Amino acid sequence: MDVETKNQWARDDPAFVAVTILLLIISSVAYGVALQLPFLGVLELICWVVFVKFLGVGLLVSLVNW
């Protein structure tokens, strides 16, 4: 039996992104508690870190390098 590869070095596994986002949420909550932010401030910080800094900048960098 001959096994062919796809010439792909990366795994098609979204679990890494999910775990990274979970760790970003935990660290954002800890940061918000340390700064004594109100609840809505912590939620805003989580949204900023996850959607803008992680996903947005990652998408921008991948598009530029594409």
Side-chain angles (χ1 to χ4, degrees):
M1 176 169 46
D2 190 21
V3 178
E4 293 186 28
T5 61
K6 297 188 301 183
N7 275 343
Q8 181 177 358
W9 297 96
R11 288 179 57 188
D12 294 330
D13 188 9
F16 179 76
V17 175
V19 170
T20 304
I21 288 174
L22 178 67
L23 292 173
L24 284 172
I25 290 171
I26 292 170
S27 64
S28 296
V29 168
Y31 190 72
V33 169
L35 291 179
Q36 297 177 349
L37 294 177
F39 180 72
L40 290 178
V42 173
L43 286 180
E44 183 180 348
L45 180 65
I46 290 171
C47 290
W48 178 259
V49 168
V50 171
F51 294 114
V52 176
K53 288 191 171 190
F54 181 67
L55 296 176
V57 173
L59 187 68
L60 180 67
V61 168
S62 66
L63 285 174
V64 166
N65 288 309
W66 184 40

